[in-house]
């Protein structure tokens, strides 16, 4: 696994309120597509997303997960090819992590899965055919 972070997704209670907050700080929304279900920003080489908390918990699929006390956050590691998702999940498991959701096709047209690191931090490993990585691994919406 290359050393990088692709996307930080924050689970939020009110998507439009959260969007207004970040826009007030001067952040520019990267795309208006699906803005009623997810709000995306491109930072300097890192994607930042706001996503409804309940939808984030549903997507992770881990029974009993609520994140209400600390907020729901997933770290995302994007890969260059669909088959790389399973390979990175396997690599994480071999390193001491636990697969939470195996690699699978997802509703938005990509392929992803989740693992927990030894401290319980959740990582999504995703292939996004709509946002290919640059040669240096940089992500952009």
């Amino acid at each position: 696994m290359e050393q990088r972070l692709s996307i930080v997704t924050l689970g939020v209670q009110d998507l439009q309120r959260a969007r207004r907050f970040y826009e007030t700080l001067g952040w520019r929304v990267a795309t208006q597509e699906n803005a009623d279900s997810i709000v995306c920003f491109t930072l300097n080489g890192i994607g930042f997303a706001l996503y409804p908390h309940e939808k984030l918990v549903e997507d992770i699929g881990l029974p009993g997960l609520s994140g209400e006390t600390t907020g729901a956050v997933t770290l995302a590691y994007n890969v260059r090819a669909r088959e790389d998702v399973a390979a990175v999940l396997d690599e994480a498991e071999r390193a001491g992590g636990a697969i939470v959701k195996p690699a699978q096709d997802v509703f938005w047209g990509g392929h992803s899965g989740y693992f927990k690191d030894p401290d319980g931090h959740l990582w999504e490993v995703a292939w996004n055919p709509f946002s290919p990585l640059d040669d240096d691994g940089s992500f952009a919406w």
Side-chain angles (χ1 to χ4, degrees):
M1 184 172 169
E2 297 171 32
Q3 181 178 320
R4 67 180 142 77
L5 180 64
S6 302
I7 304 168
V8 174
T9 301
L10 300 182
V12 298
Q13 295 299 323
D14 182 328
L15 185 63
Q16 295 312 314
R17 180 184 66 198
R19 176 185 176 153
R20 283 191 304 273
F21 173 78
Y22 286 97
E23 287 180 323
T24 300
L25 293 178
W27 290 27
R28 291 182 311 277
V29 173
T31 176
Q32 295 298 323
E33 188 174 331
N34 299 320
D36 58 335
S37 59
I38 187 168
V39 177
C40 306
F41 302 88
T42 299
L43 307 182
N44 54 339
I46 298 174
F48 181 82
L50 305 171
Y51 195 58
H53 178 266
E54 69 278 359
K55 294 290 188 184
L56 184 60
V57 170
E58 178 182 310
D59 186 48
I60 293 167
L62 186 62
L65 179 68
S66 72
E68 293 176 2
T69 57
T70 60
V73 176
T74 62
L75 302 173
Y77 180 79
N78 281 33
V79 295
R80 289 178 171 79
R82 184 182 186 281
E83 58 274 9
D84 293 342
V85 174
V88 171
L89 289 172
D90 290 343
E91 185 178 355
E93 187 173 44
R94 285 193 309 273
I99 295 176
V100 173
K101 182 179 181 180
Q104 56 192 264
D105 291 335
V106 289
F107 70 94
W108 49 266
H111 192 75
S112 74
Y114 285 86
F115 72 87
K116 288 192 305 186
D117 73 10
D119 292 303
H121 300 286
L122 292 165
W123 283 80
E124 177 187 23
V125 180
W127 168 70
N128 183 339
F130 310 108
S131 296
L133 298 175
D134 290 341
D135 290 340
D136 68 356
S138 294
F139 173 87
W141 293 105

